[in-house]
Amino acid sequence: GDSVTQMEGPVTLSEEAFLTINCTYTATGYPSLFWYVQYPGEGLQLLLKATKADDKGSNKGFEATYRKETTSFHLEKGSVQVSDSAVYFCALSNNAGNMLTFGGGTRLMVKP
Amino acid sequence: GAVVSQHPSRVICKSGTSVKIECRSLDFQATTMFWYRQFPKQSLMLMATSNEGSKATYEQGVEKDKFLINHASLTLSTLTVTSAHPEDSSFYICSARDSGRRRQTDTQYFGPGTRLTVL
């Protein structure tokens, strides 16, 4: 079946540092890929998405490129802020019912 | 746009009682909604897929008689935790897929979650 693997956290960075959160997936066909962000005590918010190979999703300074050759969708940001502290989930959708398969989540902590 | 609400946001109940959680799509129609459960510091586990006008599809290991799902309209799905016990304490999150033609249908929009504590 489909699966998503994320790097384990927590990831602790200083403000303005460069962020990479690795995400790889296993799926048949051509899934859509997503990054969701969850702030403390809240539900999930869609951060960005990509629906086909080589697509780059971007939002709020975050980027991720759909790499079919390496089955990856790594999340990057050039300069993190304290307000980016949250849990980040990589996910894929690969069926007509659009069920999401989530990775385990990566907690990011940004210190001033 | 694409807002999903949940009510209540937080509920505390006694063991043995039933609790109903509502999930509403506020500005779009959703023939399909999803219910997830999230334990502290863990990922989301899909419990069931709620289909408007038909029975919900439950994931393996989820008791359908324990977690009753009703999707009576295109904007509302409810999850009822029956005879709740302390082990049912968790964060329950719903999501909805926009059925409208204008939106991209592979995107799910999530509610803010409901924290259930069973004493």
Side-chain angles (χ1 to χ4, degrees):
Chain A
D2 298 342
S3 67
V4 177
T5 303
Q6 289 180 238
M7 58 188 295
E8 289 192 19
V11 173
T12 304
L13 297 173
S14 297
E15 206 165 22
E16 299 184 1
F18 185 86
L19 168 71
T20 299
I21 300 179
N22 290 337
C23 171
T24 57
Y25 67 91
T26 302
T28 57
Y30 301 92
S32 295
L33 302 175
F34 306 82
W35 276 101
Y36 283 87
V37 58
Q38 184 179 32
Y39 297 101
E42 299 183 13
L44 272 68
Q45 300 176 26
L46 177 65
L47 181 59
L48 53 86
K49 61 183 280 190
T51 58
K52 60 183 188 295
D54 299 326
D55 267 3
K56 177 186 285 188
S58 61
N59 185 27
K60 299 181 181 180
F62 291 89
E63 292 183 343
T65 301
Y66 189 142
R67 301 287 188 198
K68 188 163 178 64
E69 64 276 14
T70 55
T71 61
S72 65
F73 193 55
H74 305 322
L75 182 68
E76 297 182 335
K77 186 174 185 180
S79 176
V80 293
Q81 305 300 312
V82 173
S83 57
D84 293 327
S85 298
V87 180
Y88 293 81
F89 291 94
C90 185
L92 70 83
S93 173
N94 196 21
N95 55 48
N98 299 125
M99 289 169 51
L100 284 170
T101 299
F102 284 92
T106 303
R107 183 175 300 274
L108 170 66
M109 299 171 59
V110 181
K111 297 183 176 181
Chain B
V3 178
V4 175
S5 69
Q6 279 185 244
H7 177 78
S9 59
R10 185 182 294 268
V11 57
I12 301 172
C13 69
K14 293 182 179 180
S15 184
T17 60
S18 294
V19 175
K20 180 186 285 188
I21 303 170
E22 293 184 349
C23 177
R24 293 182 185 273
S25 56
L26 297 186
D27 55 354
F28 65 97
Q29 294 183 334
T31 56
T32 304
M33 292 184 174
F34 303 90
W35 286 97
Y36 296 85
R37 184 173 179 176
Q38 185 181 32
F39 292 102
K41 299 184 179 181
Q42 295 188 25
S43 188
L44 281 72
M45 300 295 295
L46 179 65
M47 298 175 65
T49 302
S50 171
N51 302 296
E52 188 267 336
S54 65
K55 292 183 179 180
T57 304
Y58 289 83
E59 295 301 299
Q60 191 173 8
V62 178
E63 299 176 57
K64 64 176 75 173
D65 295 330
K66 172 79 171 174
F67 298 99
L68 300 178
I69 292 173
N70 187 337
H71 194 156
S73 78
L74 288 173
T75 58
L76 173 64
S77 175
T78 60
L79 169 68
T80 301
V81 182
T82 62
S83 187
H85 291 282
E87 57 266 30
D88 298 324
S89 299
S90 190
F91 196 50
Y92 292 88
I93 303 175
C94 74
S95 70
R97 186 167 61 89
D98 192 333
S99 307
R101 295 179 183 176
R102 296 182 192 177
R103 299 189 197 272
Q104 295 176 351
T105 58
D106 63 348
T107 300
Q108 289 185 27
Y109 301 96
F110 284 79
T114 297
R115 184 162 302 284
L116 171 63
T117 303
V118 185
L119 303 177

